[in-house]
Structure formats: structure tokens, C-alpha cells
Amino acid sequence: MAREGTYVPDGIADEFTQGSLSSGEQQKPGRPNAPALGLVGMLRWMWRQLTSMRVALMLLMLLAVAAVPGSVLPQRNQDAAGVIEYLADHPTAGEWLDKAGFFDVYSSVWFSAIYILLFVSLVGCILPRSAAHYRALRGRPPRVPSRFNRFPAKASATTGASPEEAADAIAARLRGRISWLPTFRVDRGEEPSPGARGASGRSELASAGAERPSGRASATVSAERGYLRETGNLVFHLALVGLLVSVATGQMLHYRGQAIVTEGRGFANAVVDYDTFEKGSWFRPESLVPFSMTLDRFESEFASDTVAFAQARDFTAHVTVTEPSGEQRSETIKVNHPLVVDGAKIYLQGNGFAPEITVHDAEGEVAFSGRVTFIPEDTMYTSRGVVKVPDVSPGLDQIGFVGYFLPTAEVNEDGSARSAFPQPVDPLLVLEVYTGDLGLDDGSPQNVYELDTASLTPALDENGDRIKVLARPGETVELPDGLGTLTLGEDLPRYVALDLRHDPSLAFVLVFSLLALGGLTVSLFTPRRRVWARAYVAQDGATVVEVAGLARGDDAGLQAEVDRALAAVPGAVEQPETAAAPVETSVVALRQAQEPRVETRSEKD
């Protein structure tokens, strides 16, 4: 029913172009009303949006942004002490950040949701595209268009060879020299004579007056290349899925431990033997291979010339590894040359001195005896350390020491000292003394490399300056205020900081990264081209060869491809382009010249 003043598209029923009217109410023109999607339609629309490429890219960027807090804020599974310190320094903001999971970013609900959505989006995008690509690979090149004058790249020539010979030469040129790896996928065929095809089947040259005999068929060639472009694109996205799975698996199964080992001593591959240990959610302590390792000796080499004075030349840790079977073997660990034991890599992260220190309290009892790790603070190995002596005789104050170990000491007139060379040429131990409650008996965790001196009393001289205790290897010195004595051992053992890492996904991450790079390269640099050729005998008896090409997008090499195909015809003499009536050059017109096909939604995305 026609309605004045209202445009109604053909095929739209009346009930969708006007609202429901009560009896007697006059009909008024209205806008077309689209049918309701319904629950199924809404779910289908949401799925199409989620599996589109633009949403996948948005989720990928969102995942990168969501990972930023994990790098900026301390994480509870890696630095629990840092989280406690942050919460103490920022009580209000820290409480809200903790509730939102910012201290457990990679195991939080929102990060996992983004990760899973990205995974689903990629899989939902890849599967239909893979099916469409498989069907395209099994299909054949589109038929030869009836006219070539509308294509952006075209050429024509005459030759004395037969149409079949000309078409075979072009087909061979397009296939390439390697039979099992063709450049183009080629179809050779024939067309009926002009009389059988009708007026619409006339060629470009025929329309210009070069009629060909109606009793002989034309030889045709249809060729297409560029399927590797979509193959590379799919490989790239499949590799991204593989990367997501590999990284997630590695995060759940990995473990990493750090241990400080001094010369002559070792450690076992057990969680309790590591100074720090972090693990994935799927890690099980019983999965650790029970090997042990002993540091036999550590060697370091530094330059002594004036040009590169004190620069490190080499660090080597000589160790003995004991397998679970009891078999022992000698190994070495160097910087950037880790030791691999049962799939885990052991890296040499640092080194320093761990002198043997013995402290006797005021009663003459041994209150402390052991090796103390001093951490280097500069390239000359000026090393800072802490000695905590809680086990003094009853009734005595606990003792704490803070100071430096200097491998090659230089003492200035003002009493300050520093190390002048990393090797122990003239070692000296410089310590300040504190007394009081060290806070080790209340059960609170403490950093073994730090001493909280806020509640301790320093040892002072008559001028009120803090007393420094100086000791050289083999010396025993008196402590101030009758606190006892301190003895520095004759030998100066070295220590190494070892970092053991095990991540079963590293090999897969490397493989999928290379696949992603290769797929992206193929996708970006593979042109998508179609080439058609037609050869027929004209009125004068010469064979006319016409070649045309079409590319998806801009392709500067398309005309050269057409010229090379035409040059393969034996005895070809290129013909100048004839003036032709203006033709439609829109994208729609070009597509109409190709084989009709349905474009999938994934290709639009």
C-alpha cells in the first residue's frame, strides 16, 4: 500500500513501517522499524563483535596496559616484604589497591578475564577464516572476464603461433620454473566462438573492429596468486594463540630460586634451601629434582693496567654437582654461561666476600661464629654487611654491628676508609657497634642485610662520636664498653649469588615468536594478484593475445607482471593501446569482472 510523503523501501512490510493504530485513528507516516533482534540475535551480534579483529587488537592493547601495575607495584608472590612496606607507607591507597588485586596482578580476576577474552577472540576469529581459506585453496581461479578494457593493467600482442601455443607459453610462465612450488595457480581452458557466446562475449579488440572468425574457439588462461598472504596472516594469529598458551603455562609451572653459597659449602635443590623462592600456581615442591651442588672455589680476574684499571675480566665458579643417583661431576658457571641441570638453568648473578667472624661476649662465651655476607656497593668491592649477635650470656645486651669490608683498604686522615682495588690486597673490616634489643625474639621477619638502629644504643667515645672497630685478617680486637672481643678469620672466603630458573615454556615461546614473525612477514610482503589471458585468431589470420591483471589494493608491480606474461609468448609483437570508449572504473565494476563469490565476515574485519 502506497503512503504519501513517506519513502518505503521495497520489500518492507507495512507493520515494520508504522506503529500499531487503534480503531479510528488516522495513519501517519512513520520511519521504518527494524525487527527486534531477540536473545539469539543479540548473542550472535555479541559473538561477531568479540571475534572481530578490531576487538582482538583492543584486547591485546588492554592486556599490555593491565600488565603495567605488575611491573610498577610490588607483587605478593615475588616480594611479600615489599607489599607489606607499601601498605604501611600508603594505608588508604594500599588497602584499595589490595582489594582490587593490584598486588597479585597476574592472578587477579580482571587480568584473567582479559586474557581469556583475548584467547577466545583470537580462536573465534581464526577458525572461520581458516575454513574459508581452506575452501579457497581447493577452489579454482575465477573465469576469464569477457572484456579486459576495464582492468588497471593490460597488454596485447600479435604472434604467428597458434592460440593454444600462446596460451600454453603464458601458463608455463605464470606457473614458474619449480613445478612443485608454482608461482601462480593456473587453469587452461577454451572459450566458445563469438557466434556461440553472443554479442556480450566480444573481446576488447573485437569491439574496436578486429573481428575474429566465428568458427574457432579461443584459448584462455586464468591464474591467481597470493594465497600465502592469508596463510601468513593465519599463521601469525595462530602463533599469537600459541604464545598466550605458552606464557600462561609457563607462569603456572615455573619456579625460580636464589641462593648465596660460600666456598666449600653448597645447597640442595629444595624449597627450604633457597634464600628466596617464587613459583607458579601449578608448581609442586615434589617436582624438584633432588640434586645438590657445592662451590669448590671462585675465581675473579680484574685489570691492573692504568687504561682499564679494576675492570672485571672474568668470573668463574667451580662447582661439583651431585645427581640423585649419587654420581658427581665438576662444572663451571660463568656470567652469561649458565649451568643446566635437569632442565633448570643456574646463573651466576653476583659475588663478594664472606669473612669468618667470631664474637665473644663479656662473659667470654662464644656468642656468634660464622661467615658474614658483605654486599659490594661499587666496582672496588667496598662491601657493606651486618652482624647480629642475639645469643649473648643471660643478663647482657644483644650486640649489633654495621660496617664495611674493604678488600684493599685506604684510610684517610679524617678516619674515613674505602677500597682501592677489588682483590684482597690489604683487607680491612670496619664496624660500628650497637647494643640493645635486636627484635629477633618477637617473631617478626627481618632483612638479614639490614639493622634497625632506631631502638639501639651506639657505642660512643669521649667526644660523642661513634666508635669504629677495625680488624684485619687473623686479628682479635676488644669491643668498646667491655662488650667482649671480635676475631676476623685468617682466610677470606668468597661467595656467589646463584639464580636458578626453570620455565618449561621458553622453547615454545621462542618457536611461536619466530612463527609469528615469519607469518607477519609473509602476510605483509606477498602480493595478491589475478592474471587472465585470451588468445584467438583474428580476421587477418594472425593470433591476437590479450592479457589483463587485477590486484587487491595498490600494487605497483602488477603491470610488470602482465608484461612478463605477454613476453613469454613466442614471436609476440606488442600492439599499441587503441582508443576506447570511457569505461566504468569503480571498484564495483572491477569486482563484476571477477568470478562471483561471497565475501566472509572475517575478511571484512
Side-chain angles (χ1 to χ4, degrees):
M1 178 178 65
R3 294 176 292 279
E4 296 181 358
T6 304
Y7 167 71
V8 180
D10 293 337
I12 300 296
D14 291 344
E15 58 267 23
F16 296 126
T17 61
Q18 61 187 17
S20 59
L21 301 176
S22 59
S23 59
E25 184 177 356
Q26 185 179 2
Q27 291 185 351
K28 296 181 179 180
R31 295 181 180 179
N33 298 323
L37 287 177
L39 178 61
V40 177
M42 180 60 68
L43 292 176
R44 184 181 294 112
W45 179 85
M46 293 174 61
W47 174 255
R48 288 169 63 90
Q49 296 302 314
L50 177 61
T51 56
S52 65
M53 188 54 58
R54 57 180 176 272
V55 172
L57 292 175
M58 292 174 57
L59 289 173
L60 187 61
M61 294 299 297
L62 185 60
L63 185 69
V65 173
V68 172
S71 303
V72 176
L73 298 174
Q75 299 299 294
R76 187 167 277 111
N77 62 340
Q78 299 176 357
D79 188 8
V83 174
I84 295 175
E85 182 179 356
Y86 188 93
L87 292 174
D89 296 339
H90 308 82
T92 303
E95 181 181 358
W96 286 103
L97 291 175
D98 195 16
K99 291 180 179 179
F102 279 85
F103 299 117
D104 299 282
V105 169
Y106 304 111
S107 58
S108 63
V109 175
W110 48 271
F111 188 86
S112 301
I114 298 173
Y115 204 94
I116 294 174
L117 283 175
L118 177 59
F119 182 83
V120 173
S121 177
L122 287 175
V123 173
C125 178
I126 290 171
L127 291 180
R129 291 184 65 172
S130 299
H133 185 54
Y134 176 75
R135 291 191 296 269
L137 289 176
R138 293 178 59 86
R140 304 309 306 167
R143 61 179 178 82
V144 180
S146 59
R147 292 178 295 174
F148 287 171
N149 60 338
R150 67 181 63 191
F151 289 104
K154 54 185 177 294
S156 61
T158 58
T159 179
S162 65
E164 290 75 13
E165 293 174 344
D168 291 339
I170 294 176
R173 172 64 181 80
L174 293 175
R175 287 193 183 98
R177 298 180 180 179
I178 305 176
S179 58
W180 54 272
L181 187 62
T183 305
F184 278 80
R185 194 169 54 177
V186 180
D187 265 358
R188 268 280 286 113
E190 291 185 351
E191 286 182 348
S193 63
R197 292 170 54 201
S200 62
R202 290 183 299 167
S203 68
E204 175 185 351
L205 295 184
S207 63
E211 295 290 346
R212 48 194 168 113
S214 61
R216 187 169 182 179
S218 303
T220 61
V221 177
S222 299
E224 186 174 18
R225 66 168 296 183
Y227 285 97
L228 281 178
R229 188 185 188 94
E230 180 66 7
T231 301
N233 199 7
L234 291 174
V235 169
F236 171 72
H237 289 87
L238 287 172
L240 285 183
V241 175
L243 277 175
L244 291 176
V245 175
S246 300
V247 172
T249 304
Q251 287 295 318
M252 290 185 289
L253 295 178
H254 89 289
Y255 61 87
R256 179 179 180 181
Q258 294 82 30
I260 292 181
V261 184
T262 59
E263 288 179 322
R265 300 181 182 178
F267 75 100
N269 188 32
V271 175
V272 296
D273 257 22
Y274 289 99
D275 298 322
T276 60
F277 193 85
E278 60 183 76
K279 60 187 184 301
S281 57
W282 287 1
F283 169 79
R284 296 294 178 267
E286 56 270 16
S287 65
L288 291 176
V289 178
F291 70 88
S292 61
M293 189 178 67
T294 303
L295 176 62
D296 299 325
R297 70 183 187 279
F298 177 77
E299 297 176 351
S300 60
E301 181 181 347
F302 297 89
S304 58
D305 56 273
T306 57
V307 177
F309 183 74
Q311 290 189 4
R313 297 299 190 190
D314 183 58
F315 296 110
T316 304
H318 299 270
V319 299
T320 299
V321 179
T322 303
E323 299 286 353
S325 61
E327 180 185 356
Q328 294 185 342
R329 70 178 190 273
S330 298
E331 299 285 353
T332 59
I333 308 176
K334 291 178 174 290
V335 178
N336 298 326
H337 291 82
L339 172 64
V340 180
V341 181
D342 294 307
K345 292 185 177 181
I346 304 176
Y347 294 86
L348 180 62
Q349 292 291 94
N351 66 88
F353 293 89
E356 187 84 28
I357 298 177
T358 303
V359 178
H360 292 78
D361 61 20
E363 300 293 335
E365 300 293 334
V366 177
F368 176 86
S369 181
R371 296 179 178 179
V372 180
T373 301
F374 283 77
I375 308 299
E377 292 186 344
D378 56 25
T379 58
M380 298 300 176
Y381 276 57
T382 300
S383 306
R384 187 177 188 276
V386 171
V387 183
K388 299 179 182 180
V389 186
D391 300 327
V392 295
S393 300
L396 299 178
D397 289 333
Q398 295 177 342
I399 307 172
F401 300 90
V402 178
Y404 290 88
F405 177 78
L406 312 175
T408 304
E410 279 189 356
V411 182
N412 301 322
E413 295 180 358
D414 59 357
S416 62
R418 68 183 184 90
S419 178
F421 193 70
Q423 298 288 40
V425 177
D426 185 17
L428 177 65
L429 183 65
V430 182
L431 297 175
E432 294 181 354
V433 185
Y434 295 85
T435 57
D437 186 4
L438 300 179
L440 299 176
D441 301 327
D442 58 3
S444 301
Q446 288 190 9
N447 190 339
V448 295
Y449 303 110
E450 296 291 339
L451 180 65
D452 185 7
T453 61
S455 59
L456 300 178
T457 302
L460 305 177
D461 58 14
E462 298 177 353
N463 299 325
D465 298 329
R466 294 181 182 180
I467 298 176
K468 292 182 174 59
V469 176
L470 307 181
R472 297 185 183 276
E475 290 183 354
T476 299
V477 296
E478 294 288 337
L479 298 178
D481 302 329
L483 296 176
T485 61
L486 181 144
T487 303
L488 180 61
E490 185 70 32
D491 297 330
L492 297 174
R494 301 294 298 266
Y495 74 86
V496 294
L498 300 178
D499 187 6
L500 181 141
R501 306 178 190 178
H502 177 71
D503 190 342
S505 67
L506 292 179
F508 295 98
V509 170
L510 176 61
V511 170
F512 286 122
S513 299
L514 294 177
L515 284 176
L517 180 61
L520 184 61
T521 302
V522 171
S523 176
L524 292 177
F525 294 100
T526 300
R528 185 73 182 269
R529 296 171 179 170
R530 289 175 176 174
V531 176
W532 297 277
R534 178 184 291 113
Y536 58 89
V537 178
Q539 291 284 0
D540 57 1
T543 298
V544 178
V545 182
E546 301 173 353
V547 184
L550 181 65
R552 175 173 293 182
D554 296 331
D555 189 347
L558 181 61
Q559 184 62 51
E561 188 77 70
V562 170
D563 294 338
R564 286 192 296 269
L566 187 62
V569 178
V573 178
E574 189 172 353
Q575 299 295 312
E577 293 187 5
T578 59
V583 296
E584 189 177 7
T585 58
S586 65
V587 176
V588 176
L590 292 177
R591 287 183 175 176
Q592 289 175 349
Q594 305 176 25
E595 181 71 17
R597 63 190 274 272
V598 178
E599 190 175 23
T600 63
R601 175 180 60 84
S602 59
E603 289 177 331
K604 296 179 182 178
D605 294 335

